[in-house]
Amino acid sequence: RGTARFAMLARLLGTRRPSLAPTVLSWSSARQMCAGADRSRLLCEMPPISTRRERIQQHGLIGLTAAFVRQRSEKGGTGDSSFRVQNYSVQLNRPAEFAISSVYGYGRERSKRLAAEIGLHGAYPLQRMRESQRTYIRRSLNAACVNYDDPAKAAGAALQKEIGLNIKRLKDIRCYRGIRHELRLPSRGQRTKTNAKTRKRMGPLN
């Protein structure tokens, strides 16, 4: 009954019944509709593609911080790829297990223990760490490289000096291991008839 009344009213007024189906506009039609006014044209333009996803994929959540963006802009968009500890270069694009092992005295196990102190486990690159975490690792390595008092915690030049003093002591007391070091031969019972070619090629110490 309501539909019949609406049809009769439409015939009297000379209008058509409006369609209740939603109007689907194509992208070209939408652009033509928006071309009339400057304000409408600005609203219909596509926004620029953000680089947040790329920064997260490359550098982790640290890539969204303002300090990281400022550092990359100051460094010309590249940032530091490594940091130096004495004369060793620690790469930031490698996991901590392998990057820290470039320092003399730090193997894979000791590197993983140092990374676990700041709560990092697994293949997590140093580049994705927070600045405070990288600072802690850098300070720990620098402290170990100048730790001449405790050989168990030494690394780098301090550990090399300790090893050199131990070998010198063996040579001074003229023990078997010291004599083998002087002759540049293996000192732990290895065979020398077929192996140890490189050690024997160096020749004895003068």
Side-chain angles (χ1 to χ4, degrees), residues 42-65:
L42 292 176
L43 292 176
C44 291
E45 289 180 354
M46 292 293 293
I49 299 176
S50 175
T51 59
R52 296 181 63 185
R53 173 177 291 184
E54 298 177 0
R55 282 186 286 162
I56 292 176
Q57 291 177 352
Q58 294 179 2
H59 310 288
L61 295 177
I62 189 67
L64 299 180
T65 59

PDB file of all heavy atoms in Angstrom, residues 42-65:
ATOM      1  N   LEU A  42      42.677  17.877  -3.835  1.00  0.00           N
ATOM      2  CA  LEU A  42      43.649  17.479  -2.817  1.00  0.00           C
ATOM      3  C   LEU A  42      43.162  16.290  -2.009  1.00  0.00           C
ATOM      4  O   LEU A  42      43.935  15.433  -1.613  1.00  0.00           O
ATOM      5  CB  LEU A  42      43.946  18.660  -1.890  1.00  0.00           C
ATOM      6  CG  LEU A  42      44.691  19.836  -2.521  1.00  0.00           C
ATOM      7  CD1 LEU A  42      44.820  20.970  -1.526  1.00  0.00           C
ATOM      8  CD2 LEU A  42      46.061  19.398  -3.024  1.00  0.00           C
ATOM      9  N   LEU A  43      41.855  16.231  -1.753  1.00  0.00           N
ATOM     10  CA  LEU A  43      41.322  15.123  -0.966  1.00  0.00           C
ATOM     11  C   LEU A  43      41.345  13.827  -1.737  1.00  0.00           C
ATOM     12  O   LEU A  43      41.443  12.751  -1.146  1.00  0.00           O
ATOM     13  CB  LEU A  43      39.888  15.441  -0.527  1.00  0.00           C
ATOM     14  CG  LEU A  43      39.735  16.573   0.493  1.00  0.00           C
ATOM     15  CD1 LEU A  43      38.269  16.846   0.756  1.00  0.00           C
ATOM     16  CD2 LEU A  43      40.461  16.223   1.783  1.00  0.00           C
ATOM     17  N   CYS A  44      41.228  13.867  -3.062  1.00  0.00           N
ATOM     18  CA  CYS A  44      41.146  12.653  -3.852  1.00  0.00           C
ATOM     19  C   CYS A  44      42.504  12.115  -4.268  1.00  0.00           C
ATOM     20  O   CYS A  44      42.579  11.021  -4.808  1.00  0.00           O
ATOM     21  CB  CYS A  44      40.293  12.890  -5.105  1.00  0.00           C
ATOM     22  SG  CYS A  44      38.553  13.150  -4.718  1.00  0.00           S
ATOM     23  N   GLU A  45      43.585  12.861  -4.075  1.00  0.00           N
ATOM     24  CA  GLU A  45      44.902  12.375  -4.450  1.00  0.00           C
ATOM     25  C   GLU A  45      45.378  11.310  -3.469  1.00  0.00           C
ATOM     26  O   GLU A  45      45.093  11.369  -2.278  1.00  0.00           O
ATOM     27  CB  GLU A  45      45.903  13.536  -4.491  1.00  0.00           C
ATOM     28  CG  GLU A  45      45.682  14.480  -5.654  1.00  0.00           C
ATOM     29  CD  GLU A  45      46.693  15.597  -5.655  1.00  0.00           C
ATOM     30  OE1 GLU A  45      47.476  15.664  -4.672  1.00  0.00           O
ATOM     31  OE2 GLU A  45      46.694  16.388  -6.599  1.00  0.00           O
ATOM     32  N   MET A  46      46.153  10.343  -4.005  1.00  0.00           N
ATOM     33  CA  MET A  46      46.685   9.267  -3.173  1.00  0.00           C
ATOM     34  C   MET A  46      47.813   9.799  -2.299  1.00  0.00           C
ATOM     35  O   MET A  46      48.652  10.578  -2.763  1.00  0.00           O
ATOM     36  CB  MET A  46      47.214   8.134  -4.055  1.00  0.00           C
ATOM     37  CG  MET A  46      46.120   7.406  -4.815  1.00  0.00           C
ATOM     38  SD  MET A  46      45.036   6.492  -3.703  1.00  0.00           S
ATOM     39  CE  MET A  46      46.161   5.258  -3.118  1.00  0.00           C
ATOM     40  N   PRO A  47      47.858   9.422  -1.028  1.00  0.00           N
ATOM     41  CA  PRO A  47      48.951   9.882  -0.153  1.00  0.00           C
ATOM     42  C   PRO A  47      50.257   9.224  -0.547  1.00  0.00           C
ATOM     43  O   PRO A  47      50.274   8.156  -1.154  1.00  0.00           O
ATOM     44  CB  PRO A  47      48.492   9.424   1.239  1.00  0.00           C
ATOM     45  CG  PRO A  47      47.614   8.258   0.978  1.00  0.00           C
ATOM     46  CD  PRO A  47      46.910   8.544  -0.328  1.00  0.00           C
ATOM     47  N   PRO A  48      51.400   9.852  -0.246  1.00  0.00           N
ATOM     48  CA  PRO A  48      52.690   9.238  -0.570  1.00  0.00           C
ATOM     49  C   PRO A  48      52.909   7.967   0.234  1.00  0.00           C
ATOM     50  O   PRO A  48      52.455   7.835   1.371  1.00  0.00           O
ATOM     51  CB  PRO A  48      53.712  10.325  -0.190  1.00  0.00           C
ATOM     52  CG  PRO A  48      52.990  11.170   0.817  1.00  0.00           C
ATOM     53  CD  PRO A  48      51.544  11.150   0.403  1.00  0.00           C
ATOM     54  N   ILE A  49      53.624   7.024  -0.380  1.00  0.00           N
ATOM     55  CA  ILE A  49      53.879   5.731   0.263  1.00  0.00           C
ATOM     56  C   ILE A  49      54.894   5.927   1.387  1.00  0.00           C
ATOM     57  O   ILE A  49      55.946   6.537   1.195  1.00  0.00           O
ATOM     58  CB  ILE A  49      54.400   4.722  -0.767  1.00  0.00           C
ATOM     59  CG1 ILE A  49      53.347   4.524  -1.860  1.00  0.00           C
ATOM     60  CG2 ILE A  49      54.737   3.398  -0.102  1.00  0.00           C
ATOM     61  CD1 ILE A  49      53.807   3.606  -2.976  1.00  0.00           C
ATOM     62  N   SER A  50      54.576   5.419   2.553  1.00  0.00           N
ATOM     63  CA  SER A  50      55.459   5.574   3.710  1.00  0.00           C
ATOM     64  C   SER A  50      56.571   4.539   3.663  1.00  0.00           C
ATOM     65  O   SER A  50      56.410   3.436   3.132  1.00  0.00           O
ATOM     66  CB  SER A  50      54.649   5.407   5.005  1.00  0.00           C
ATOM     67  OG  SER A  50      55.508   5.447   6.124  1.00  0.00           O
ATOM     68  N   THR A  51      57.723   4.890   4.227  1.00  0.00           N
ATOM     69  CA  THR A  51      58.874   3.990   4.283  1.00  0.00           C
ATOM     70  C   THR A  51      58.999   3.317   5.646  1.00  0.00           C
ATOM     71  O   THR A  51      60.056   2.763   5.950  1.00  0.00           O
ATOM     72  CB  THR A  51      60.161   4.771   3.992  1.00  0.00           C
ATOM     73  OG1 THR A  51      60.308   5.815   4.966  1.00  0.00           O
ATOM     74  CG2 THR A  51      60.117   5.386   2.601  1.00  0.00           C
ATOM     75  N   ARG A  52      57.959   3.351   6.428  1.00  0.00           N
ATOM     76  CA  ARG A  52      58.058   2.773   7.773  1.00  0.00           C
ATOM     77  C   ARG A  52      58.248   1.267   7.709  1.00  0.00           C
ATOM     78  O   ARG A  52      59.043   0.707   8.468  1.00  0.00           O
ATOM     79  CB  ARG A  52      56.800   3.111   8.577  1.00  0.00           C
ATOM     80  CG  ARG A  52      56.630   4.609   8.825  1.00  0.00           C
ATOM     81  CD  ARG A  52      55.394   4.900   9.633  1.00  0.00           C
ATOM     82  NE  ARG A  52      55.471   4.316  10.956  1.00  0.00           N
ATOM     83  CZ  ARG A  52      54.490   4.337  11.848  1.00  0.00           C
ATOM     84  NH1 ARG A  52      53.353   4.944  11.539  1.00  0.00           N
ATOM     85  NH2 ARG A  52      54.626   3.785  13.025  1.00  0.00           N
ATOM     86  N   ARG A  53      57.522   0.593   6.788  1.00  0.00           N
ATOM     87  CA  ARG A  53      57.664  -0.857   6.687  1.00  0.00           C
ATOM     88  C   ARG A  53      59.077  -1.233   6.271  1.00  0.00           C
ATOM     89  O   ARG A  53      59.656  -2.193   6.809  1.00  0.00           O
ATOM     90  CB  ARG A  53      56.652  -1.409   5.687  1.00  0.00           C
ATOM     91  CG  ARG A  53      56.842  -2.887   5.390  1.00  0.00           C
ATOM     92  CD  ARG A  53      55.788  -3.436   4.452  1.00  0.00           C
ATOM     93  NE  ARG A  53      54.480  -3.491   5.085  1.00  0.00           N
ATOM     94  CZ  ARG A  53      53.399  -3.999   4.505  1.00  0.00           C
ATOM     95  NH1 ARG A  53      53.473  -4.471   3.275  1.00  0.00           N
ATOM     96  NH2 ARG A  53      52.250  -4.029   5.149  1.00  0.00           N
ATOM     97  N   GLU A  54      59.661  -0.497   5.329  1.00  0.00           N
ATOM     98  CA  GLU A  54      61.025  -0.798   4.904  1.00  0.00           C
ATOM     99  C   GLU A  54      62.011  -0.597   6.046  1.00  0.00           C
ATOM    100  O   GLU A  54      62.930  -1.394   6.237  1.00  0.00           O
ATOM    101  CB  GLU A  54      61.408   0.093   3.723  1.00  0.00           C
ATOM    102  CG  GLU A  54      60.529  -0.113   2.490  1.00  0.00           C
ATOM    103  CD  GLU A  54      60.898   0.839   1.376  1.00  0.00           C
ATOM    104  OE1 GLU A  54      61.843   1.640   1.587  1.00  0.00           O
ATOM    105  OE2 GLU A  54      60.251   0.778   0.316  1.00  0.00           O
ATOM    106  N   ARG A  55      61.817   0.469   6.823  1.00  0.00           N
ATOM    107  CA  ARG A  55      62.725   0.705   7.955  1.00  0.00           C
ATOM    108  C   ARG A  55      62.583  -0.377   9.013  1.00  0.00           C
ATOM    109  O   ARG A  55      63.569  -0.792   9.625  1.00  0.00           O
ATOM    110  CB  ARG A  55      62.442   2.074   8.563  1.00  0.00           C
ATOM    111  CG  ARG A  55      63.030   3.226   7.761  1.00  0.00           C
ATOM    112  CD  ARG A  55      62.840   4.536   8.476  1.00  0.00           C
ATOM    113  NE  ARG A  55      61.458   4.985   8.416  1.00  0.00           N
ATOM    114  CZ  ARG A  55      60.930   5.899   9.212  1.00  0.00           C
ATOM    115  NH1 ARG A  55      61.651   6.445  10.153  1.00  0.00           N
ATOM    116  NH2 ARG A  55      59.672   6.264   9.081  1.00  0.00           N
ATOM    117  N   ILE A  56      61.352  -0.864   9.230  1.00  0.00           N
ATOM    118  CA  ILE A  56      61.163  -1.933  10.217  1.00  0.00           C
ATOM    119  C   ILE A  56      61.810  -3.220   9.735  1.00  0.00           C
ATOM    120  O   ILE A  56      62.453  -3.943  10.504  1.00  0.00           O
ATOM    121  CB  ILE A  56      59.662  -2.135  10.494  1.00  0.00           C
ATOM    122  CG1 ILE A  56      59.090  -0.914  11.233  1.00  0.00           C
ATOM    123  CG2 ILE A  56      59.421  -3.401  11.305  1.00  0.00           C
ATOM    124  CD1 ILE A  56      57.602  -0.988  11.462  1.00  0.00           C
ATOM    125  N   GLN A  57      61.679  -3.530   8.443  1.00  0.00           N
ATOM    126  CA  GLN A  57      62.268  -4.755   7.913  1.00  0.00           C
ATOM    127  C   GLN A  57      63.792  -4.717   7.945  1.00  0.00           C
ATOM    128  O   GLN A  57      64.436  -5.740   8.180  1.00  0.00           O
ATOM    129  CB  GLN A  57      61.781  -4.977   6.480  1.00  0.00           C
ATOM    130  CG  GLN A  57      60.310  -5.336   6.381  1.00  0.00           C
ATOM    131  CD  GLN A  57      59.843  -5.482   4.945  1.00  0.00           C
ATOM    132  OE1 GLN A  57      60.578  -5.168   4.014  1.00  0.00           O
ATOM    133  NE2 GLN A  57      58.623  -5.956   4.758  1.00  0.00           N
ATOM    134  N   GLN A  58      64.379  -3.552   7.722  1.00  0.00           N
ATOM    135  CA  GLN A  58      65.835  -3.461   7.681  1.00  0.00           C
ATOM    136  C   GLN A  58      66.460  -3.286   9.051  1.00  0.00           C
ATOM    137  O   GLN A  58      67.489  -3.889   9.344  1.00  0.00           O
ATOM    138  CB  GLN A  58      66.255  -2.292   6.781  1.00  0.00           C
ATOM    139  CG  GLN A  58      65.901  -2.490   5.316  1.00  0.00           C
ATOM    140  CD  GLN A  58      66.315  -1.308   4.477  1.00  0.00           C
ATOM    141  OE1 GLN A  58      66.898  -0.341   4.987  1.00  0.00           O
ATOM    142  NE2 GLN A  58      66.005  -1.347   3.191  1.00  0.00           N
ATOM    143  N   HIS A  59      65.840  -2.466   9.909  1.00  0.00           N
ATOM    144  CA  HIS A  59      66.486  -2.095  11.170  1.00  0.00           C
ATOM    145  C   HIS A  59      65.661  -2.441  12.401  1.00  0.00           C
ATOM    146  O   HIS A  59      66.107  -2.166  13.516  1.00  0.00           O
ATOM    147  CB  HIS A  59      66.768  -0.581  11.183  1.00  0.00           C
ATOM    148  CG  HIS A  59      67.456  -0.090   9.957  1.00  0.00           C
ATOM    149  ND1 HIS A  59      68.779  -0.359   9.683  1.00  0.00           N
ATOM    150  CD2 HIS A  59      67.004   0.645   8.906  1.00  0.00           C
ATOM    151  CE1 HIS A  59      69.122   0.198   8.531  1.00  0.00           C
ATOM    152  NE2 HIS A  59      68.061   0.808   8.037  1.00  0.00           N
ATOM    153  N   GLY A  60      64.465  -3.032  12.238  1.00  0.00           N
ATOM    154  CA  GLY A  60      63.634  -3.332  13.392  1.00  0.00           C
ATOM    155  C   GLY A  60      62.900  -2.094  13.882  1.00  0.00           C
ATOM    156  O   GLY A  60      62.844  -1.056  13.219  1.00  0.00           O
ATOM    157  N   LEU A  61      62.328  -2.197  15.080  1.00  0.00           N
ATOM    158  CA  LEU A  61      61.556  -1.082  15.628  1.00  0.00           C
ATOM    159  C   LEU A  61      62.415   0.136  15.942  1.00  0.00           C
ATOM    160  O   LEU A  61      61.886   1.244  16.069  1.00  0.00           O
ATOM    161  CB  LEU A  61      60.824  -1.538  16.904  1.00  0.00           C
ATOM    162  CG  LEU A  61      59.751  -2.614  16.699  1.00  0.00           C
ATOM    163  CD1 LEU A  61      59.158  -3.019  18.025  1.00  0.00           C
ATOM    164  CD2 LEU A  61      58.653  -2.103  15.770  1.00  0.00           C
ATOM    165  N   ILE A  62      63.742  -0.070  16.043  1.00  0.00           N
ATOM    166  CA  ILE A  62      64.616   1.071  16.302  1.00  0.00           C
ATOM    167  C   ILE A  62      64.589   2.039  15.126  1.00  0.00           C
ATOM    168  O   ILE A  62      64.872   3.229  15.263  1.00  0.00           O
ATOM    169  CB  ILE A  62      66.063   0.576  16.574  1.00  0.00           C
ATOM    170  CG1 ILE A  62      66.957   1.703  17.069  1.00  0.00           C
ATOM    171  CG2 ILE A  62      66.650  -0.047  15.332  1.00  0.00           C
ATOM    172  CD1 ILE A  62      66.574   2.217  18.412  1.00  0.00           C
ATOM    173  N   GLY A  63      64.203   1.545  13.923  1.00  0.00           N
ATOM    174  CA  GLY A  63      64.153   2.402  12.754  1.00  0.00           C
ATOM    175  C   GLY A  63      63.034   3.421  12.775  1.00  0.00           C
ATOM    176  O   GLY A  63      63.005   4.327  11.940  1.00  0.00           O
ATOM    177  N   LEU A  64      62.075   3.309  13.709  1.00  0.00           N
ATOM    178  CA  LEU A  64      60.968   4.252  13.806  1.00  0.00           C
ATOM    179  C   LEU A  64      61.240   5.396  14.774  1.00  0.00           C
ATOM    180  O   LEU A  64      60.443   6.333  14.844  1.00  0.00           O
ATOM    181  CB  LEU A  64      59.686   3.521  14.229  1.00  0.00           C
ATOM    182  CG  LEU A  64      59.180   2.426  13.292  1.00  0.00           C
ATOM    183  CD1 LEU A  64      57.920   1.810  13.850  1.00  0.00           C
ATOM    184  CD2 LEU A  64      58.923   2.987  11.907  1.00  0.00           C
ATOM    185  N   THR A  65      62.317   5.311  15.518  1.00  0.00           N
ATOM    186  CA  THR A  65      62.595   6.345  16.507  1.00  0.00           C
ATOM    187  C   THR A  65      63.146   7.597  15.828  1.00  0.00           C
ATOM    188  O   THR A  65      63.771   7.542  14.761  1.00  0.00           O
ATOM    189  CB  THR A  65      63.602   5.835  17.540  1.00  0.00           C
ATOM    190  OG1 THR A  65      64.821   5.465  16.866  1.00  0.00           O
ATOM    191  CG2 THR A  65      63.047   4.621  18.265  1.00  0.00           C
TER     192      THR A  65
END
